Amino acid sequence: TTFQLRYVATDFDVQGKGLGGIVLDVVEEELRALGVEQVWANGRNTALDFYRAHNWQLIVGSEHLSPETKLPHTIIYKLLLS
């Protein structure tokens, strides 16, 4: 089972304080409990280091502009169950 995360972000004034990581950890744990094996998202390129720090992988060659925001994104994913 695969799940897509959408519209994940924190306000600029609280970025870098660990709150996004806490939210991501809770979401991943809830998805594991539901039996989800993989989670993916269109990660904003400015946030890719954040996702890499949380063991997400990038799909090379998947770079694109988001139709909604017109900002550069890359498809990212994480395996939750092994």
Side-chain angles (χ1 to χ4, degrees):
T1 303
T2 301
F3 190 89
Q4 180 186 9
L5 291 183
R6 295 188 55 144
Y7 304 105
V8 178
T10 56
D11 278 343
F12 291 114
D13 59 337
V14 296
Q15 288 180 358
K17 298 183 180 187
L19 299 175
I22 292 169
V23 170
L24 198 57
D25 290 344
V26 169
V27 167
E28 291 173 10
E29 190 57 37
E30 290 293 322
L31 292 174
R32 278 187 195 92
L34 293 171
V36 174
E37 297 173 353
Q38 179 175 279
V39 62
W40 72 279
N42 288 300
R44 188 178 298 172
N45 284 6
T46 57
L48 293 179
D49 287 340
F50 165 79
Y51 286 105
R52 282 190 197 111
H54 291 275
N55 300 313
W56 284 63
Q57 305 294 314
L58 288 92
I59 296 181
V60 177
S62 69
E63 301 82 4
H64 62 281
L65 289 180
S66 165
E68 291 96 1
T69 65
K70 308 296 187 241
L71 296 172
H73 284 67
T74 298
I75 297 175
I76 56 174
Y77 72 96
K78 184 173 183 177
L79 299 178
L80 299 178
L81 300 177
S82 43

Coordinates of all heavy atoms in Angstrom, one line a residue:
T1 N 0.8 -1.2 0.0 CA 0.0 0.0 0.0 C 0.9 1.2 0.0 O 1.9 1.3 0.7 CB -0.9 0.0 1.2 OG1 -1.7 -1.2 1.3 CG2 -1.8 1.2 1.3
T2 N 0.5 2.2 -0.8 CA 1.3 3.5 -0.9 C 0.4 4.6 -0.6 O -0.8 4.6 -1.0 CB 1.8 3.6 -2.4 OG1 2.7 2.5 -2.7 CG2 2.6 4.9 -2.5
F3 N 0.9 5.6 0.1 CA 0.1 6.8 0.5 C 0.8 8.0 0.0 O 2.1 8.1 0.1 CB 0.0 6.8 2.0 CG -1.0 7.8 2.5 CD1 -2.3 7.5 2.7 CD2 -0.5 9.1 2.9 CE1 -3.2 8.4 3.2 CE2 -1.4 10.0 3.4 CZ -2.7 9.7 3.6
Q4 N 0.1 9.0 -0.5 CA 0.7 10.3 -0.9 C 0.4 11.4 0.2 O -0.7 11.6 0.6 CB 0.1 10.8 -2.2 CG 0.7 12.1 -2.7 CD 0.1 12.7 -3.9 OE1 -0.9 12.2 -4.4 NE2 0.7 13.7 -4.5
L5 N 1.5 12.1 0.5 CA 1.4 13.3 1.4 C 1.2 14.5 0.5 O 1.9 14.6 -0.5 CB 2.6 13.5 2.3 CG 2.8 12.5 3.4 CD1 4.1 12.9 4.2 CD2 1.7 12.4 4.3
R6 N 0.3 15.4 0.9 CA 0.1 16.6 0.1 C 0.1 17.8 1.0 O -0.4 17.7 2.1 CB -1.2 16.5 -0.7 CG -1.2 15.4 -1.7 CD -2.4 15.4 -2.6 NE -2.4 16.8 -3.2 CZ -2.9 17.1 -4.4 NH1 -3.3 16.1 -5.2 NH2 -2.9 18.3 -4.9
Y7 N 0.6 18.9 0.5 CA 0.5 20.2 1.2 C 1.0 20.2 2.6 O 0.4 20.6 3.5 CB -1.0 20.7 1.2 CG -1.5 20.8 -0.2 CD1 -2.5 19.9 -0.7 CD2 -1.1 21.8 -1.1 CE1 -3.0 20.0 -1.9 CE2 -1.6 21.9 -2.4 CZ -2.6 21.0 -2.8 OH -3.1 21.1 -4.0
V8 N 2.2 19.6 2.7 CA 2.9 19.6 4.0 C 3.9 20.7 4.1 O 4.8 20.9 3.2 CB 3.7 18.2 4.2 CG1 4.4 18.2 5.5 CG2 2.7 17.1 4.1
A9 N 3.8 21.6 5.1 CA 4.7 22.7 5.3 C 4.5 23.3 6.7 O 3.5 23.0 7.3 CB 4.3 23.8 4.2
T10 N 5.5 24.0 7.1 CA 5.4 24.8 8.3 C 5.6 26.2 8.0 O 6.2 26.6 7.0 CB 6.5 24.3 9.4 OG1 7.8 24.4 8.8 CG2 6.3 22.9 9.8
D11 N 5.0 27.1 8.9 CA 5.2 28.5 8.7 C 6.7 28.9 8.8 O 7.5 28.3 9.5 CB 4.5 29.3 9.8 CG 3.0 29.5 9.5 OD1 2.6 29.3 8.4 OD2 2.3 29.8 10.5
F12 N 7.1 29.9 8.0 CA 8.5 30.3 8.0 C 9.0 30.6 9.4 O 10.2 30.4 9.7 CB 8.7 31.5 7.1 CG 8.5 31.2 5.6 CD1 7.4 31.8 4.9 CD2 9.3 30.4 4.9 CE1 7.2 31.5 3.6 CE2 9.1 30.1 3.6 CZ 8.1 30.6 2.9
D13 N 8.2 31.2 10.2 CA 8.7 31.7 11.5 C 9.0 30.5 12.5 O 9.6 30.7 13.6 CB 7.8 32.7 12.2 CG 6.3 32.2 12.4 OD1 5.9 31.2 11.7 OD2 5.6 32.7 13.2
V14 N 8.5 29.3 12.2 CA 8.8 28.1 13.0 C 9.7 27.1 12.4 O 10.0 26.0 13.0 CB 7.5 27.5 13.6 CG1 6.8 28.4 14.5 CG2 6.7 26.9 12.5
Q15 N 10.1 27.4 11.1 CA 11.0 26.4 10.5 C 12.4 26.3 11.2 O 12.8 27.3 11.7 CB 11.2 26.8 9.0 CG 10.0 26.6 8.2 CD 10.1 27.0 6.7 OE1 11.2 27.5 6.3 NE2 9.1 26.8 5.9
G16 N 12.9 25.1 11.2 CA 14.2 24.9 11.8 C 14.1 24.7 13.3 O 15.2 24.6 14.0
K17 N 12.9 24.5 13.9 CA 12.8 24.3 15.3 C 12.4 22.9 15.6 O 12.1 22.6 16.8 CB 11.7 25.3 15.9 CG 12.2 26.7 15.7 CD 11.2 27.7 16.3 CE 11.7 29.1 16.1 NZ 10.9 30.1 16.8
G18 N 12.3 22.0 14.6 CA 12.0 20.6 14.8 C 10.6 20.2 14.8 O 10.2 19.0 14.9
L19 N 9.7 21.2 14.6 CA 8.3 20.9 14.6 C 7.8 20.1 13.3 O 7.0 19.2 13.4 CB 7.4 22.2 14.6 CG 7.7 23.0 15.9 CD1 6.9 24.3 15.8 CD2 7.3 22.2 17.1
G20 N 8.4 20.4 12.2 CA 8.1 19.7 11.0 C 8.5 18.2 11.1 O 7.8 17.3 10.6
G21 N 9.7 18.0 11.7 CA 10.1 16.6 11.9 C 9.2 15.8 12.8 O 9.0 14.6 12.6
I22 N 8.7 16.5 13.9 CA 7.8 15.8 14.8 C 6.5 15.4 14.0 O 6.1 14.3 14.2 CB 7.5 16.7 16.0 CG1 8.7 16.9 16.9 CG2 6.3 16.2 16.8 CD1 8.6 18.0 17.9
V23 N 6.0 16.3 13.2 CA 4.8 16.0 12.5 C 5.0 14.9 11.5 O 4.2 13.9 11.4 CB 4.3 17.3 11.7 CG1 3.2 16.9 10.7 CG2 3.8 18.4 12.7
L24 N 6.2 14.9 10.8 CA 6.5 13.9 9.9 C 6.6 12.5 10.6 O 6.1 11.5 10.1 CB 7.8 14.2 9.1 CG 8.1 13.5 7.8 CD1 6.9 13.7 6.8 CD2 9.4 14.0 7.2
D25 N 7.3 12.5 11.7 CA 7.4 11.3 12.5 C 6.1 10.7 12.9 O 5.9 9.5 12.8 CB 8.3 11.5 13.7 CG 9.8 11.7 13.4 OD1 10.2 11.4 12.3 OD2 10.5 12.2 14.3
V26 N 5.2 11.5 13.4 CA 3.9 11.1 13.8 C 3.1 10.5 12.6 O 2.5 9.5 12.7 CB 3.1 12.2 14.5 CG1 1.6 11.8 14.7 CG2 3.7 12.6 15.8
V27 N 3.1 11.2 11.5 CA 2.4 10.8 10.3 C 3.0 9.4 9.8 O 2.2 8.5 9.5 CB 2.5 11.8 9.1 CG1 2.1 11.3 7.8 CG2 1.7 13.1 9.5
E28 N 4.3 9.3 9.8 CA 4.9 8.0 9.4 C 4.5 6.9 10.3 O 4.2 5.8 9.8 CB 6.4 8.2 9.3 CG 6.9 9.1 8.1 CD 8.3 9.3 8.2 OE1 9.1 8.7 9.0 OE2 8.8 10.2 7.4
E29 N 4.5 7.1 11.6 CA 4.1 6.1 12.5 C 2.6 5.7 12.4 O 2.3 4.5 12.4 CB 4.4 6.6 14.0 CG 4.2 5.5 15.0 CD 5.1 4.3 14.7 OE1 6.3 4.4 14.3 OE2 4.7 3.1 15.0
E30 N 1.7 6.7 12.2 CA 0.3 6.4 11.9 C 0.1 5.6 10.7 O -0.7 4.6 10.6 CB -0.5 7.7 11.9 CG -0.6 8.4 13.2 CD -1.4 7.6 14.2 OE1 -2.5 7.0 13.8 OE2 -1.1 7.6 15.4
L31 N 0.9 5.9 9.6 CA 0.8 5.2 8.4 C 1.3 3.8 8.5 O 0.7 2.8 8.0 CB 1.5 5.9 7.2 CG 0.9 7.2 6.8 CD1 1.8 7.9 5.8 CD2 -0.5 7.0 6.2
R32 N 2.4 3.6 9.3 CA 2.9 2.2 9.5 C 1.8 1.4 10.2 O 1.6 0.2 9.9 CB 4.1 2.3 10.4 CG 5.4 2.6 9.7 CD 6.6 2.4 10.6 NE 7.8 3.0 10.0 CZ 8.1 4.3 10.2 NH1 7.5 5.1 11.0 NH2 9.2 4.8 9.5
A33 N 1.1 2.0 11.2 CA 0.1 1.3 12.0 C -1.0 0.9 11.1 O -1.7 -0.1 11.4 CB -0.4 2.2 13.1
L34 N -1.3 1.6 10.0 CA -2.3 1.3 9.1 C -1.9 0.3 8.0 O -2.6 -0.1 7.1 CB -2.8 2.6 8.4 CG -3.6 3.6 9.2 CD1 -3.8 4.9 8.5 CD2 -4.9 2.9 9.7
G35 N -0.6 -0.1 8.1 CA -0.1 -1.1 7.1 C 0.4 -0.5 5.8 O 0.7 -1.2 4.9
V36 N 0.6 0.8 5.8 CA 1.1 1.5 4.6 C 2.6 1.2 4.4 O 3.4 1.2 5.4 CB 0.9 3.0 4.7 CG1 1.6 3.7 3.5 CG2 -0.6 3.3 4.7
E37 N 3.0 0.7 3.3 CA 4.4 0.3 3.0 C 5.3 1.4 2.5 O 6.5 1.3 2.7 CB 4.4 -0.9 2.0 CG 3.6 -2.1 2.6 CD 3.5 -3.2 1.5 OE1 3.9 -3.0 0.4 OE2 3.0 -4.3 1.9
Q38 N 4.7 2.3 1.8 CA 5.5 3.4 1.2 C 4.7 4.7 1.2 O 3.5 4.7 1.0 CB 5.9 3.0 -0.2 CG 6.7 4.1 -1.0 CD 7.1 3.6 -2.3 OE1 8.1 2.8 -2.4 NE2 6.4 4.0 -3.4
V39 N 5.4 5.8 1.4 CA 4.8 7.1 1.4 C 5.6 7.9 0.4 O 6.8 7.8 0.2 CB 4.7 7.8 2.8 CG1 6.1 8.0 3.3 CG2 3.9 9.1 2.7
W40 N 4.9 8.8 -0.4 CA 5.6 9.6 -1.4 C 4.9 11.0 -1.4 O 3.9 11.2 -0.9 CB 5.5 9.0 -2.8 CG 4.2 9.0 -3.5 CD1 3.1 8.2 -3.3 CD2 3.8 9.9 -4.4 NE1 2.1 8.5 -4.1 CE2 2.4 9.6 -4.8 CE3 4.3 11.0 -5.1 CZ2 1.7 10.3 -5.7 CZ3 3.6 11.7 -6.0 CH2 2.3 11.4 -6.3
A41 N 5.7 11.9 -2.0 CA 5.2 13.3 -2.1 C 5.9 14.0 -3.2 O 7.0 13.6 -3.7 CB 5.4 14.0 -0.8
N42 N 5.4 15.1 -3.6 CA 6.0 16.1 -4.5 C 6.7 17.1 -3.6 O 6.1 18.0 -3.1 CB 5.0 16.8 -5.4 CG 4.5 15.8 -6.5 OD1 5.3 15.3 -7.3 ND2 3.2 15.6 -6.5
G43 N 8.0 16.8 -3.3 CA 8.7 17.7 -2.3 C 9.2 19.0 -2.9 O 9.8 18.9 -4.0
R44 N 8.9 20.1 -2.3 CA 9.4 21.4 -2.8 C 10.9 21.3 -2.8 O 11.5 20.9 -1.8 CB 8.9 22.5 -2.0 CG 9.2 23.9 -2.6 CD 8.7 25.0 -1.8 NE 7.2 24.9 -1.7 CZ 6.5 25.7 -1.0 NH1 7.0 26.6 -0.2 NH2 5.2 25.6 -1.0
N45 N 11.6 21.7 -3.8 CA 13.0 21.6 -3.9 C 13.7 22.3 -2.8 O 14.8 21.9 -2.3 CB 13.5 22.1 -5.3 CG 13.3 21.1 -6.4 OD1 12.6 20.1 -6.2 ND2 13.8 21.4 -7.5
T46 N 13.2 23.4 -2.3 CA 13.8 24.1 -1.1 C 13.7 23.3 0.2 O 14.4 23.7 1.1 CB 13.1 25.5 -0.9 OG1 11.7 25.3 -0.7 CG2 13.4 26.4 -2.1
A47 N 12.9 22.2 0.2 CA 12.7 21.4 1.4 C 13.4 20.1 1.3 O 13.3 19.2 2.2 CB 11.3 21.3 1.7
L48 N 14.1 19.8 0.2 CA 14.6 18.5 0.0 C 15.7 18.1 1.0 O 15.7 16.9 1.4 CB 15.2 18.4 -1.4 CG 14.2 18.4 -2.6 CD1 14.9 18.3 -3.9 CD2 13.1 17.4 -2.4
D49 N 16.5 19.0 1.5 CA 17.4 18.7 2.6 C 16.7 18.2 3.8 O 17.2 17.3 4.5 CB 18.3 19.9 2.9 CG 19.4 20.1 1.8 OD1 19.6 19.2 1.0 OD2 19.9 21.2 1.7
F50 N 15.6 18.8 4.1 CA 14.8 18.4 5.3 C 14.3 17.0 5.1 O 14.5 16.2 6.0 CB 13.5 19.4 5.4 CG 12.5 18.8 6.3 CD1 12.6 18.9 7.7 CD2 11.3 18.2 5.8 CE1 11.6 18.4 8.6 CE2 10.4 17.7 6.6 CZ 10.5 17.8 8.0
Y51 N 13.8 16.6 4.0 CA 13.3 15.3 3.7 C 14.5 14.3 3.8 O 14.3 13.2 4.3 CB 12.5 15.2 2.4 CG 11.2 15.8 2.6 CD1 10.9 17.0 2.0 CD2 10.1 15.2 3.3 CE1 9.6 17.6 2.1 CE2 8.9 15.7 3.4 CZ 8.6 16.9 2.8 OH 7.4 17.5 2.9
R52 N 15.6 14.6 3.2 CA 16.8 13.8 3.2 C 17.2 13.5 4.6 O 17.6 12.4 5.0 CB 17.9 14.4 2.4 CG 17.8 14.2 0.9 CD 19.1 14.7 0.3 NE 19.0 15.0 -1.1 CZ 19.0 16.2 -1.7 NH1 19.2 17.2 -1.0 NH2 18.9 16.3 -3.0
A53 N 17.1 14.5 5.5 CA 17.5 14.3 6.9 C 16.6 13.4 7.6 O 16.9 12.8 8.7 CB 17.5 15.7 7.6
H54 N 15.4 13.1 7.0 CA 14.4 12.2 7.6 C 14.3 10.9 6.8 O 13.3 10.2 6.8 CB 13.1 12.9 7.7 CG 13.1 14.0 8.8 ND1 12.8 13.7 10.1 CD2 13.3 15.3 8.7 CE1 12.9 14.8 10.8 NE2 13.2 15.8 10.0
N55 N 15.4 10.6 6.1 CA 15.6 9.4 5.4 C 14.7 9.2 4.2 O 14.3 8.0 3.8 CB 15.6 8.2 6.3 CG 16.6 8.3 7.4 OD1 17.8 8.5 7.0 ND2 16.3 8.1 8.6
W56 N 14.2 10.2 3.6 CA 13.4 10.2 2.4 C 14.4 10.1 1.2 O 15.5 10.6 1.3 CB 12.5 11.4 2.2 CG 11.3 11.3 3.1 CD1 11.3 11.3 4.5 CD2 10.0 11.3 2.7 NE1 10.0 11.3 4.9 CE2 9.2 11.3 3.9 CE3 9.3 11.3 1.5 CZ2 7.8 11.2 3.8 CZ3 8.0 11.2 1.4 CH2 7.2 11.2 2.6
Q57 N 14.0 9.5 0.1 CA 14.8 9.3 -1.1 C 14.2 10.2 -2.2 O 13.0 10.3 -2.3 CB 14.8 7.9 -1.5 CG 15.3 6.9 -0.5 CD 16.7 7.1 -0.1 OE1 17.6 7.3 -1.0 NE2 17.0 7.1 1.2
L58 N 15.0 10.6 -3.1 CA 14.6 11.4 -4.3 C 14.5 10.5 -5.5 O 15.3 9.6 -5.6 CB 15.5 12.5 -4.6 CG 15.6 13.7 -3.7 CD1 16.6 13.5 -2.6 CD2 15.9 14.9 -4.4
I59 N 13.6 10.7 -6.4 CA 13.5 10.0 -7.6 C 14.2 10.9 -8.6 O 13.7 11.9 -9.0 CB 12.1 9.6 -8.0 CG1 11.5 8.7 -7.0 CG2 12.1 9.0 -9.5 CD1 10.1 8.2 -7.3
V60 N 15.4 10.5 -9.0 CA 16.2 11.3 -10.0 C 15.5 11.4 -11.3 O 14.9 10.4 -11.8 CB 17.6 10.6 -10.1 CG1 18.4 11.4 -11.1 CG2 18.3 10.6 -8.8
G61 N 15.5 12.6 -11.8 CA 14.8 12.8 -13.1 C 13.3 13.2 -13.0 O 12.7 13.4 -14.0
S62 N 12.8 13.3 -11.7 CA 11.4 13.6 -11.5 C 11.1 15.0 -11.3 O 10.0 15.4 -10.9 CB 10.8 12.7 -10.4 OG 11.4 13.1 -9.2
E63 N 12.2 15.9 -11.4 CA 12.0 17.3 -11.1 C 10.9 17.9 -12.1 O 10.9 17.6 -13.2 CB 13.3 18.0 -11.4 CG 14.5 17.5 -10.5 CD 15.2 16.2 -11.0 OE1 14.8 15.8 -12.2 OE2 16.0 15.7 -10.3
H64 N 10.1 18.8 -11.5 CA 9.0 19.4 -12.3 C 8.6 20.6 -11.5 O 8.9 20.9 -10.4 CB 7.9 18.4 -12.4 CG 7.3 18.0 -11.1 ND1 7.9 17.0 -10.3 CD2 6.2 18.4 -10.5 CE1 7.1 16.9 -9.2 NE2 6.1 17.7 -9.3
L65 N 7.8 21.4 -12.3 CA 7.1 22.6 -11.7 C 5.7 22.1 -11.2 O 5.0 21.5 -12.0 CB 7.0 23.7 -12.6 CG 8.3 24.5 -13.0 CD1 8.0 25.6 -14.0 CD2 9.0 25.0 -11.8
S66 N 5.4 22.5 -10.0 CA 4.1 22.1 -9.5 C 3.0 22.9 -10.3 O 3.1 24.1 -10.4 CB 4.0 22.5 -8.0 OG 2.6 22.5 -7.6
P67 N 2.0 22.2 -10.7 CA 0.9 22.9 -11.5 C 0.2 24.0 -10.6 O -0.3 25.0 -11.1 CB 0.0 21.8 -11.9 CG 0.7 20.6 -11.8 CD 1.8 20.8 -10.8
E68 N 0.1 23.7 -9.3 CA -0.6 24.5 -8.4 C 0.2 25.8 -8.0 O -0.3 26.9 -7.9 CB -1.1 23.8 -7.1 CG -2.1 22.8 -7.3 CD -1.5 21.4 -7.5 OE1 -0.3 21.2 -7.4 OE2 -2.3 20.4 -7.7
T69 N 1.5 25.6 -7.6 CA 2.3 26.6 -7.1 C 3.3 27.2 -8.1 O 3.9 28.3 -7.8 CB 3.1 26.1 -5.9 OG1 4.0 25.2 -6.3 CG2 2.2 25.6 -4.8
K70 N 3.5 26.5 -9.2 CA 4.5 26.9 -10.2 C 6.0 27.0 -9.6 O 6.8 27.6 -10.1 CB 4.2 28.3 -10.8 CG 2.8 28.4 -11.3 CD 2.6 27.5 -12.5 CE 1.2 27.7 -13.1 NZ 0.3 26.6 -13.1
L71 N 6.2 26.2 -8.5 CA 7.5 26.1 -7.8 C 8.1 24.8 -8.2 O 7.4 23.8 -8.4 CB 7.4 26.3 -6.3 CG 6.8 27.7 -5.8 CD1 6.6 27.6 -4.3 CD2 7.8 28.8 -6.2
P72 N 9.5 24.7 -8.2 CA 10.1 23.5 -8.5 C 9.9 22.4 -7.4 O 10.1 22.7 -6.2 CB 11.6 23.9 -8.6 CG 11.7 25.3 -8.5 CD 10.4 25.8 -8.0
H73 N 9.6 21.2 -7.8 CA 9.4 20.1 -6.9 C 10.1 18.9 -7.5 O 10.4 18.8 -8.7 CB 7.9 19.8 -6.8 CG 7.2 20.7 -5.9 ND1 7.0 22.0 -6.3 CD2 6.5 20.5 -4.8 CE1 6.2 22.6 -5.3 NE2 6.0 21.7 -4.4
T74 N 10.3 17.9 -6.6 CA 10.9 16.6 -7.0 C 10.1 15.5 -6.3 O 9.7 15.7 -5.1 CB 12.4 16.5 -6.6 OG1 13.1 17.5 -7.3 CG2 13.0 15.1 -6.9
I75 N 9.9 14.4 -7.0 CA 9.1 13.3 -6.3 C 10.1 12.6 -5.3 O 11.2 12.3 -5.6 CB 8.6 12.3 -7.3 CG1 7.6 13.0 -8.3 CG2 8.0 11.1 -6.6 CD1 7.1 12.1 -9.4
I76 N 9.6 12.5 -4.1 CA 10.3 11.9 -3.0 C 9.5 10.7 -2.4 O 8.3 10.7 -2.6 CB 10.7 12.9 -1.9 CG1 9.4 13.6 -1.4 CG2 11.7 14.0 -2.5 CD1 9.7 14.5 -0.2
Y77 N 10.2 9.8 -1.8 CA 9.5 8.7 -1.1 C 10.2 8.1 0.0 O 11.4 8.4 0.2 CB 9.2 7.6 -2.2 CG 10.5 6.8 -2.5 CD1 10.8 5.6 -1.9 CD2 11.3 7.3 -3.5 CE1 12.0 4.9 -2.2 CE2 12.5 6.6 -3.8 CZ 12.8 5.4 -3.2 OH 14.0 4.8 -3.5
K78 N 9.5 7.3 0.8 CA 10.2 6.6 1.9 C 9.5 5.3 2.1 O 8.2 5.2 2.1 CB 10.0 7.5 3.2 CG 10.8 6.8 4.4 CD 10.8 7.7 5.6 CE 11.5 7.1 6.8 NZ 11.6 8.1 7.9
L79 N 10.2 4.2 2.3 CA 9.7 2.9 2.6 C 9.5 2.8 4.1 O 10.4 3.2 4.9 CB 10.7 1.8 2.1 CG 11.0 1.8 0.6 CD1 12.0 0.7 0.3 CD2 9.7 1.6 -0.2
L80 N 8.3 2.5 4.5 CA 7.9 2.4 5.9 C 8.0 1.0 6.5 O 8.3 0.9 7.6 CB 6.5 3.0 6.1 CG 6.3 4.4 5.6 CD1 4.8 4.8 5.8 CD2 7.2 5.4 6.4
L81 N 7.7 0.0 5.7 CA 7.7 -1.4 6.1 C 8.8 -2.1 5.3 O 8.9 -2.0 4.1 CB 6.4 -2.0 6.0 CG 5.2 -1.4 6.7 CD1 3.9 -2.1 6.4 CD2 5.5 -1.4 8.2
S82 N 9.5 -3.0 6.0 CA 10.5 -3.8 5.2 C 10.2 -5.3 5.4 O 9.3 -5.7 6.1 CB 11.9 -3.5 5.7 OG 12.0 -3.4 7.1

